[in-house]
Each structure stands twice: as structure tokens, then as C-alpha cells.
Amino acid sequence: MGLLSNKIDREALKSGDHIYSWREAYIYAHHGIYVGDGMVIHFTRGAGQEIGTGSTVMDRFLFSSSPVHDTDNPCPKCGDQTRDGVISSCLDCFLSGGNLYLFEYGVSPVLFLAKARGGTCTLASSDPAEDVLRRALFLLENGFGGYNIFKNNCEDFAIYCKTGLLVFTSISVGRSGQAASYLAAASTVVSTPLRFMTTSFTGLALVSYGMYCASRLVSDIGVRRDVSKVPVERLVTFSPGLDEPEKTAEVAKED
């Protein structure tokens, strides 16, 4: 892997790796946990279904990424892949024709900011592979709640499996670097016109990029203060819908 790309060969994969593949001309990426034997556990709304953003336009533009298979001719290894929730897929179905990338954990702030696109790395450290696999397999059986593009998406699922961390406030996005990146870009665009009267074009570009980087950094799961480690068994027990993960995390903090 290099500074600009996290692409990885299949032969280099290890059980417990957080992997992803870009979709829709690199508009977004789909994430999952590689569990060995060519299989991936991931969280999806199912092929061709709305992702539940609350916006009809966005629902048509963005889709979760369960591989598209005819229900009459399912993948012989995976079976029916059109259902939503936490599912297990072979690597080919997970990639759905895309390239394979490895999500990086424990990166430095410099490297994090050098990778200007969100959803590729985090400052947070990964737990041991056995803990990652235990969470992924448990959630495969018990679910991860309802899909939400900003607070509970496929990247959120993979990051939780890797770290056990949940956000316990209701005023910000979840763990997803992709969502944080999009919101950082949107907030930068909205606030930029206010600076046209006070700076040159070059200065404006530098200030805008600085705002974007700062917003991404403070939203990363590795530096945020509004997170708590939540055992996977308690996650399911106290918040089956995961609509308000902050309540689950608050309970865990009291223990």
C-alpha cells in the first residue's frame, strides 16, 4: 500500500482485516470484515434498495452495496444476497467487480490528513483479530440495527467490529470517515462565501482546505471524546435497533 492508495492483494489478506471497495465511480465505498476462507461479513441495505437517508434524491443517488444477483440464480457460495442487514458474502460478491482495499488503523495525524478522502484510515487502534472476528460473527447472528447513511452504515459496522467503539452523543455523525468527509466538505462550501470579502483566492483555498482537514480530524473516532467501548453482547441487549447508540454507550460507561 502507498500514500495515495490502500489497494491490497487478496493473498495478503488476514482474518479480521477491515476491507472496502469503491462503488459508483468512486463516489463511496462499501466496507466489511474479512473473516477468512474467502468470506466477508458486512452490513447492507440489500441490492437495489433505498438506504433510508430520508432524502429521495440521495436514496436514488447512493445505494448500499450488496452484490446484484438474480434471485432465481443466486451465488452458489453465498446464496441469496438481496436481503438487508448483516450478511456473509464471498469476496467476489463483496467486491462486485471492484478493487480490494485495506482500511488502516493507528495511523498518524499527518498520514490521516495526507489521505484527503475520508473512509480509508483512522487514528484509532484496532483490537486483536480474535475480538474483531467475535464481534463480526456475533452481529451476523444478531444484527446491527437499522441502516443510516450518517450514523449507522457499513463503515460504522466495520469500525465497531475493529474497535468496539460507539458514539454516545446525538449531535454528530457516527464513526464513518466517509460521512464525516462529506459533511466536512459541505460545511466548508457553505461557510466559504463569507470569506470572499476578506481574502484572496489563494488564501480562500488554503483556509477552506484547512477547515476541511480540521473538520475531518476532529470527527475521527481515534480523537473524539464522545465515544465509549461497548461489549457486543451489551450492544444487542440494550439497543436492538441501534437507532440511538448513545444510550447503549452510556449504559456501558456506568458499568
Side-chain angles (χ1 to χ4, degrees):
M1 293 186 296
L3 177 63
L4 300 179
S5 176
N6 289 2
K7 189 179 292 186
I8 187 175
D9 293 329
R10 296 187 183 206
E11 294 74 17
L13 283 177
K14 299 184 296 292
S15 296
D17 279 348
H18 173 172
I19 60 176
Y20 63 96
S21 181
W22 292 104
R23 300 285 199 266
E24 302 296 333
Y26 290 87
I27 294 173
Y28 71 102
H30 186 53
H31 296 248
I33 299 295
Y34 182 70
V35 295
D37 296 326
M39 300 300 293
V40 183
I41 294 177
H42 54 120
F43 182 46
T44 179
R45 280 287 294 176
Q49 298 185 37
E50 291 183 347
I51 59 175
T53 64
S55 166
T56 301
V57 173
M58 186 175 290
D59 283 338
R60 289 175 178 173
F61 187 63
L62 294 173
F63 294 90
S64 184
S65 32
S66 179
V68 178
H69 281 289
D70 191 324
T71 55
D72 295 328
N73 186 31
C75 173
K77 189 171 183 179
C78 305
D80 180 18
Q81 295 286 289
T82 60
R83 63 192 184 281
D84 59 4
V86 181
I87 64 174
S88 176
S89 303
C90 69
L91 192 54
D92 286 330
C93 284
F94 173 81
L95 294 175
S96 194
N99 292 317
L100 175 64
Y101 298 86
L102 180 68
F103 193 99
E104 294 183 272
Y105 285 81
V107 303
S108 68
V110 172
L111 180 58
F112 178 87
L113 292 176
K115 293 180 179 290
R117 185 70 180 268
T120 63
C121 62
T122 177
L123 279 69
S125 298
S126 171
D127 287 336
E130 54 267 27
D131 294 338
V132 177
L133 294 173
R134 181 175 57 83
R135 292 185 189 117
L137 291 169
F138 187 91
L139 294 174
L140 178 62
E141 295 296 326
N142 295 276
F144 194 62
Y147 194 102
N148 183 293
I149 187 64
F150 292 116
K151 285 198 170 186
N152 203 49
N153 58 40
C154 58
E155 186 184 347
D156 291 314
F157 167 80
I159 290 177
Y160 174 75
C161 289
K162 291 286 285 186
T163 66
L165 296 174
L166 283 183
V167 176
F168 60 81
T169 61
S170 58
I171 59 174
S172 57
V173 297
R175 293 132 291 177
S176 170
Q178 287 188 99
S181 182
Y182 292 141
L183 291 179
S187 63
T188 299
V189 169
V190 169
S191 60
T192 293
L194 301 178
R195 296 178 174 79
F196 271 114
M197 300 298 294
T198 61
T199 185
S200 66
F201 177 81
T202 301
L204 177 63
L206 290 174
V207 169
S208 298
Y209 185 69
M211 289 179 57
Y212 171 75
C213 290
S215 182
R216 280 188 58 230
L217 184 61
V218 299
S219 298
D220 183 67
I221 193 73
V223 299
R224 290 171 63 160
R225 301 292 185 181
D226 59 344
V227 297
S228 182
K229 198 104 170 180
V230 180
V232 67
E233 297 82 5
R234 188 173 295 277
L235 173 74
V236 174
T237 300
F238 282 91
S239 187
L242 263 179
D243 294 322
E244 297 179 284
E246 63 273 11
K247 293 183 179 179
T248 305
E250 289 286 7
V251 172
K253 288 176 68 182
E254 295 172 0
D255 290 349

